[in-house]
Amino acid sequence: MKLLKSFLFIAFALLGCSDYATTKIPIDPMGFSFEIPSQWEKDENIFVVPAPSENSVDFAFYFLTDAAKKQKKTLEANHDITPETVAKVCDKAYKLFKISVYPKENFSENFLQNAEWGKATKIGSNSDFLIYFSLAKKDEAVKKEFAASYKKYLAQSEKVEKTIEIFEPKGQNANASAPEVSGALNFTATDLSGKQIDSKSLFAQNKLTMVNIWGTYCGPCLREMPELAKLSQQTKNFAIVGIVVDGQNNIELAQEILAKSGANFVNLLPNSQLNEQILSSVSSIPTSFFVNQNGEIISQIIVGADINAYRKNIEKLLK
């Protein structure tokens, strides 16, 4: 369950149900919550894969066979968590259910055509997202030694659909007011590879640097990442520095997102200095701003994914 806990940027809240205790999982930035049996949190038979893609973010739950458990331990021991290695674990596991979240702005019915899972059922929608639930196919082939256990977990999975609640997304509002971040930045932080980064030497390398604050659970952040990669690679005297708000416990997923997007710029993990100077004032993501070679903030704060605003600032500030 480590991947589940690392993916969520908020605390769990325990609730009670009629026949077993459940844990409520609130996904505030996407505007929905769901409940799972509380015992699943420490159950080595359960494997959850939070998988962001170009079209959706899926929360896929699997029942692990002995071979899948062995494969999972190997990749964790080798710190080799990539889409390919995780897929190898899933190939040796049995599907339970998945919850898929689609941004309304580019949704297509074609996205629902996935032969690997059972029929996708629309649960509801809020102002930004559509929420779908899929249970594993009833004819899932299961080896005899796992049949009884799998049947039990699948029965519990069927109850998850009724626990899904839809609400307005929180903490990801592109219309939110700009945070009060100003002055000169001066910090030391760790990047995703574990390297210590000093802000003075970091910002001194380029005439202009854009600081982009994002999270692995944030749909707009993920969708703009390939464009940020292009900006950082194609613009002279310019760099981008990311701060991954949920990165402390979610390094592998952040690395996967960046690699898939072609974003090879520096990304930092939150610490007390970054919290004090920047993050304590930020309530919505993505949030971005520009600094000069001395680390001084020289632009307005941009809340929300806005590539055109980034380009305008870059063109203006690099003159």
Side-chain angles (χ1 to χ4, degrees):
M1 284 305 281
K2 182 179 179 181
L3 281 177
L4 174 61
K5 292 184 177 180
S6 67
F7 186 78
L8 303 177
F9 189 49
I10 49 183
F12 288 177
L14 292 178
L15 300 178
C17 278
S18 58
D19 55 349
Y20 58 86
T22 63
T23 296
K24 187 172 185 178
I25 312 298
I27 314 295
D28 286 351
M30 294 181 180
F32 78 99
S33 66
F34 62 98
E35 297 173 28
I36 60 171
S38 295
Q39 67 265 26
W40 283 18
E41 292 186 73
K42 297 181 180 180
D43 193 331
E44 64 175 8
N45 293 316
I46 296 294
F47 183 52
V48 60
V49 182
S53 68
E54 184 178 353
N55 301 319
S56 68
V57 174
D58 296 334
F59 299 79
F61 283 72
Y62 291 83
F63 170 78
L64 293 179
T65 63
D66 294 339
K69 291 177 188 177
K70 184 177 180 180
Q71 184 79 36
K72 178 174 176 285
K73 288 180 180 179
T74 299
L75 69 89
E76 288 179 341
N78 296 332
H79 303 287
D80 183 26
I81 300 178
T82 67
E84 292 74 23
T85 58
V86 170
K88 291 180 180 179
V89 176
C90 296
D91 287 343
K92 294 180 173 64
Y94 297 126
K95 302 176 185 68
L96 291 172
F97 73 91
K98 73 172 179 177
I99 299 174
S100 302
V101 186
Y102 296 89
K104 281 185 177 179
E105 61 190 45
N106 63 353
F107 176 74
S108 168
E109 290 289 340
N110 294 332
F111 298 158
L112 302 177
Q113 297 176 4
N114 188 338
E116 295 182 1
W117 293 81
K119 181 180 179 181
T121 303
K122 183 179 177 181
I123 301 301
S125 65
N126 52 47
S127 61
D128 296 327
F129 301 100
L130 299 168
I131 317 297
Y132 282 81
F133 179 89
S134 304
L135 192 69
K137 289 183 175 181
K138 293 295 185 179
D139 58 353
E140 179 89 352
V142 180
K143 290 184 178 180
K144 186 176 180 179
E145 68 249 48
F146 301 113
S149 295
Y150 177 70
K151 183 178 180 180
K152 179 189 73 173
Y153 285 105
L154 192 60
Q156 293 175 337
S157 297
E158 290 178 342
K159 300 178 182 180
V160 173
E161 181 176 359
K162 293 183 178 180
T163 71
I164 299 176
E165 297 180 355
I166 312 295
F167 49 84
E168 283 302 299
K170 303 174 184 178
Q172 191 176 294
N173 181 5
N175 296 317
S177 59
E180 295 293 330
V181 181
S182 59
L185 302 178
N186 185 10
F187 59 81
T188 300
T190 303
D191 69 7
L192 293 180
S193 66
K195 181 180 178 181
Q196 286 289 105
I197 303 292
D198 175 74
S199 63
K200 289 184 178 180
S201 59
L202 177 65
F203 295 137
Q205 297 176 35
N206 295 280
K207 181 178 179 180
L208 183 68
T209 299
M210 185 177 103
V211 178
N212 177 255
I213 303 162
W214 66 284
T216 63
Y217 56 83
C218 166
C221 301
L222 303 187
R223 292 195 293 276
E224 76 169 358
M225 196 61 70
E227 292 298 322
L228 296 185
K230 293 178 183 178
L231 278 179
S232 67
Q233 294 164 9
Q234 297 173 356
T235 310
K236 294 181 179 180
N237 300 316
F238 170 77
I240 296 178
V241 172
I243 302 176
V244 195
V245 293
D246 60 334
Q248 285 286 8
N249 299 313
N250 209 6
I251 293 176
E252 293 87 357
L253 182 57
Q255 290 173 329
E256 175 186 327
I257 291 168
L258 293 167
K260 187 174 181 179
S261 302
N264 56 8
F265 50 82
V266 172
N267 274 270
L268 304 174
L269 300 174
N271 63 13
S272 58
Q273 291 181 325
L274 290 177
N275 287 336
E276 181 180 350
Q277 296 179 41
I278 303 173
L279 299 180
S280 61
S281 300
V282 174
S283 60
S284 300
I285 56 174
T287 287
S288 303
F289 55 86
F290 295 83
V291 302
N292 62 18
Q293 288 178 297
N294 297 319
E296 298 167 338
I297 299 174
I298 56 174
S299 75
Q300 292 183 329
I301 310 301
I302 302 170
V303 180
D306 194 337
I307 294 297
N308 289 332
Y310 304 155
R311 293 186 185 280
K312 289 179 181 179
N313 273 276
I314 292 170
E315 184 176 337
K316 175 184 175 181
L317 296 171
L318 282 180
K319 283 185 178 179

